[in-house]
Amino acid sequence: MSSQFEALATALSNLEEEKVLETVRSMLNKGIDPKDIINALREGMDKIGKMFEKGEAFIADLVIAADIFKKAVEIIKPHLKVVERGKGRVVIGTVEGDIHDIGKNLVALMLEISGYEIIDLGVDVSADKFAEAIEKYNPDVIGMSALMTTTMLNQKKIIEELKKRGLRNRVKIIVGGAPTTEAWAREIGADAWGSDCFDAVKKVRELLGR
Ligand code: B1M
């Protein structure tokens, strides 16, 4: 990562809200690609996550970092170009037991600006809610985010439940989130895995052929 992106990541992990937001504005004014800015912000979240693991940061710090991240994304949003509309419908949510939504929101945002209609079920979404959403919205794709090693297991549970209800083959399924991998996605019978919000768009495009 170049030094300006590293400085942004550090400002976020140091919870320097004004510095983060000012840096984001100034980078956008300089014409820096919003995708690179988003990646740097994610690095910042990873940094504070590691500090939390070592006992150097607390939950309250994670909450503040998440709040700064969300404000930064609001500044970036108008700079993201909407490509076209009507490419398909995606129902997305963070799985049951998990309330992390920053990554899921970014995936939803990138899909939206890439032309997909998004139905966001929010966080802590159960198999029941995903099943109801398939019946109600008839989506092309279901997206499941999980940020914890414990809750990624619910991605598997939800797919199994959709199979039981005869709904699995009505949709394509993409999973993602920090602890997940391509191998995990294959193991649980998902159709695709997204390493980040940009990869998620690429995979959905490949799944739908549009
Ligand atoms: Co929590 N948390 N947290 N947390 N938190 C992690 C995940 C953790 C790794 C921190 C750590 O210990 N190092 C750890 C999980 C450990 C594990 O796996 N077992 C953890 C923990 C333990 C917890 C609590 C249990 C803490 C506690 O209460 N004791 C608790 C859990 C509550 C719950 O969910 N039931 C908790 C709470 C919170 C906050 C509420 C304080 C806050 C979340 C705020 C929010 O989301 N609104 C928070 C935060 C901020 C984090 C870290 C620091 C940052 C997560 C984040 O937003 N990253 C995180 C550490 C880390 O991840 N390094 C951590 C930035 C985001 C852009 O990246 O979410 O990875 P990410 O999303 C990426 C990709 O993963 C991918 O694309 C995204 C964008 O490029 N992606 C997809 C994500 N979803 C996808 C879906 C797709 C495709 C790609 O297709 C559908």
Side-chain angles (χ1 to χ4, degrees):
M1 220 187 353
S2 86
S3 61
Q4 58 175 340
F5 294 123
E6 213 160 301
L8 176 59
T10 304
L12 178 57
S13 62
N14 287 342
L15 308 178
E16 296 172 278
E17 175 169 336
E18 272 319 303
K19 190 168 174 187
V20 170
L21 304 185
E22 260 321 299
T23 308
V24 168
R25 279 190 202 101
S26 129
M27 284 178 161
L28 289 166
N29 287 339
K30 284 188 209 149
I32 291 175
D33 190 340
K35 288 183 182 174
D36 294 332
I37 304 175
I38 289 173
N39 278 334
L41 290 168
R42 188 182 171 194
E43 290 285 338
M45 290 303 269
D46 281 348
K47 264 187 186 206
I48 194 154
K50 288 195 182 105
M51 288 160 67
F52 173 69
E53 247 171 68
K54 289 190 232 154
E56 293 164 6
F58 304 97
I59 290 284
D61 300 318
L62 299 189
V63 173
I64 296 168
D67 183 53
I68 301 173
F69 194 109
K70 288 183 178 184
K71 286 180 179 157
V73 171
E74 286 307 312
I75 295 173
I76 296 170
K77 258 188 198 174
H79 295 260
L80 297 166
K81 289 185 204 86
V82 177
V83 188
E84 50 187 300
R85 302 230 176 258
K87 288 209 203 157
R89 183 176 286 170
V90 181
V91 162
I92 194 165
T94 302
V95 298
E96 191 166 10
D98 200 323
I99 59 161
H100 295 90
D101 68 354
I102 292 178
K104 183 264 297 167
N105 292 348
L106 275 181
V107 172
L109 175 65
M110 290 304 147
L111 284 169
E112 194 177 357
I113 64 161
S114 305
Y116 300 93
E117 182 193 348
I118 301 298
I119 291 146
D120 189 342
L121 302 180
V123 297
D124 192 18
V125 182
S126 63
D128 270 350
K129 286 193 195 148
F130 276 109
E132 277 164 24
I134 294 176
E135 306 272 22
K136 185 168 172 195
Y137 302 108
N138 200 21
D140 301 288
V141 178
I142 292 285
M144 288 188 243
S145 179
L147 259 289
M148 296 192 284
T149 45
T150 43
T151 56
M152 66 189 262
L153 302 175
N154 290 335
Q155 293 178 329
K156 183 174 184 206
K157 202 178 105 187
I158 292 166
I159 294 178
E160 279 164 5
E161 192 54 38
L162 294 182
K163 275 187 194 156
K164 269 193 219 150
R165 299 184 190 198
L167 295 169
R168 168 66 184 93
N169 292 332
R170 278 175 55 177
V171 290
K172 298 285 183 196
I173 297 180
I174 176 167
V175 296
T180 65
T181 60
E182 180 103 57
W184 169 250
R186 246 194 320 262
E187 184 187 323
I188 64 175
D191 298 297
W193 172 71
S195 59
D196 60 29
C197 54
F198 310 112
D199 188 45
V201 174
K202 185 172 159 260
K203 298 289 173 57
V204 167
R205 213 174 266 147
E206 283 168 9
L207 286 177
L208 300 182
R210 56 182 191 269

